[in-house]
Structures are given as structure tokens and as C-alpha cells.
Amino acid sequence: MKTEIYTIPIQDAFAEESECPVCRMYQKLEENAINYTIGPGASYMEGDIREQSDEQGFCQKHLEMLYEYPNKLGLAMMLKTHMDKTAKELKKAMKAPLPQAAVLFKKKSQPVHPVITFVEEKEKKCFVCDYINHSFTNYINTIYYLYEKEEDFRKQFAASKGFCVNHYKVLFSGAPEYMGKKYLNEFLMTLNETFINGYERVRDDLEWFICKNDYRYKEQPWKNARDALQRGLVKAGSIMEAEEKKE
Ligand SMILES: [Zn+2]
Ligand SMILES: [Zn+2]
């Protein structure tokens, strides 16, 4: 298979043993993004980048990951200027007239208060998610590209263990826009088949896992079910950490 610098992360992810290669790609991107945000490059000391993180803030998951990273001072500095900016914007929003008791607005609902609009908008933003999403779209498009260009990749794709339900949807929904008509049908059919086969395989492993917790099956072999729960978490909820932490 031909390898270009931008196809490496995709080829690596598909070469690994996992219940969703796209989760693998996402996880690597996430590690890079956390590193970029708070790691040795200290991107947060650059004015334009800091302006972005001040404005966007961070989602709950990435706040936790940033907190786990051993750079508490860097995180404190980023949080402080983010909080400065948020307080400034909220003080502006607070100047709008206060909401009235709901009973006065029985017929038509009262306008949404700027405080609520501001916080709701903020909840949708995250500097780390944003950084990941830029590359993630390119990664997904590279999967389509490799499928169209490389016979070896088509085989590897078909032989994969399938995908989590979320990334199955991502691959399914993007294909018609990105792929030419020569391979689109074949890709979607192969995608459906690999997904459902992998999904039902893990479902069967889970069934056996449940049986094995029943004393009547105590003497039976475990087959492939020891880590069925961790793999089930990947298929159902893209929780890759569980698969990694399996005993
Ligand atoms: Zn996934
Ligand atoms: Zn995030």
C-alpha cells in the first residue's frame, strides 16, 4: 500500500487490533490536542491562541484531561484569562432587563435573556474539541480517499473488526458527499456489513460473559468473553479507555 505522510495515522489505526479504528484515530488526535494546548510548546503563551482559548473555554471532558496533565500553572493561567473574559461578557449581558414572572407571558413566551444565550453558546464551545475537529474531518476524508485508491486498504477495511455506532454513522453520512460513484455503493455495503458483524460479535461475547457469571457455566471455557464488557463499551459509547485498561 502506498504511504503518504497524511495517510499514516489512518493506516496505523486500521493496522491495530481494536473494536473501532476511528476511535483510535480520535484518541491520538485528542492526545495531540491536549499536548498542543498545555504541553511543552506552551501554545497558551501566544497571544492569538490565548485569545481563542479565552473565548471558547473547555468542555467538561477536556477540563478534566487538562487538569490531569502535569502543568497546573499553565492551566491556572489559561483559566484565569478565560474567566476574565467570561465575567466581562456576562456583566454586559446582565445589563438587559431581568426576566418577568412566567405568568405574565402566558400567550407568547418572553424573549430568551442574553445571560442564558451567552452561557448556552459557551457550552457548545471547547478549544480542544475545536482543534481536534479540524483534523478529524481530514482523517475521515482520507479513509474515503484510501478506499477509492488502494486495493490493499479496501481489503483491510473489509477485514476490520467494525466500528462504534457513532463512527459508523460518521462514515456512513459523509461518504455520499466525498466519494465518487464508482466506489460509493461498494463502500457503504462493506461498511454496513463490517459494522453489523462486529457489533453482533461483541453482543454475542457479552451474552457469553453474562452466562459465565452464572455458576451453571462455571466449568465452560471463557471463549472470547473475558473483555466483552470493555469492548461492548467501545461499540456502544466510544469509550476506548475501557478497552485499553482491560486486565
Ligand atoms: Zn469509534
Ligand atoms: Zn472538548
Side-chain angles (χ1 to χ4, degrees), residues 26 30 57-63 125-130 132:
Y26 188 90
E30 196 168 45
F58 306 96
C59 69
Q60 189 186 4
K61 182 188 183 194
H62 292 136
L63 271 176
K125 293 176 193 164
C126 167
F127 178 79
V128 180
C129 283
D130 197 52
I132 296 170

Side-chain angles (χ1 to χ4, degrees), residues 165-184:
V165 77
N166 171 264
H167 292 139
Y168 164 60
K169 185 211 76 183
V170 169
L171 289 169
F172 192 96
S173 64
E177 202 178 315
Y178 192 86
M179 293 181 93
K181 67 172 187 254
K182 186 170 176 209
Y183 281 108
L184 178 62

Side-chain angles (χ1 to χ4, degrees), residues 134-153:
H134 280 298
S135 310
F136 188 68
T137 312
N138 290 337
Y139 277 20
I140 294 294
N141 290 344
T142 307
I143 294 179
Y144 302 137
Y145 168 83
L146 279 171
Y147 195 94
E148 287 181 319
K149 295 278 176 274
E150 303 277 349
E151 169 74 27
D152 287 350
F153 184 76

Side-chain angles (χ1 to χ4, degrees), residues 214-246:
D214 183 328
Y215 72 95
R216 284 171 296 177
Y217 295 88
K218 207 169 164 271
E219 301 307 321
Q220 304 274 330
W222 268 95
K223 296 183 203 165
N224 216 8
R226 262 183 216 283
D227 61 350
L229 185 56
Q230 288 92 337
R231 289 184 290 111
L233 289 171
V234 177
K235 289 294 193 206
S238 309
I239 303 178
M240 206 83 212
E241 290 85 358
E243 198 185 24
E244 281 185 341
K245 280 181 195 144
K246 69 191 172 196

Side-chain angles (χ1 to χ4, degrees), residues 42-59:
S43 68
Y44 59 89
M45 295 306 283
E46 288 165 37
D48 51 333
I49 289 163
R50 188 68 157 274
E51 229 169 81
Q52 269 181 52
S53 68
D54 285 352
E55 203 268 317
Q56 294 174 308
F58 306 96
C59 69

Side-chain angles (χ1 to χ4, degrees), residues 27-46:
Q27 206 181 18
K28 296 249 167 74
L29 276 177
E30 196 168 45
E31 279 163 29
N32 292 345
I34 294 288
N35 242 313
Y36 171 78
T37 307
I38 203 169
S43 68
Y44 59 89
M45 295 306 283
E46 288 165 37

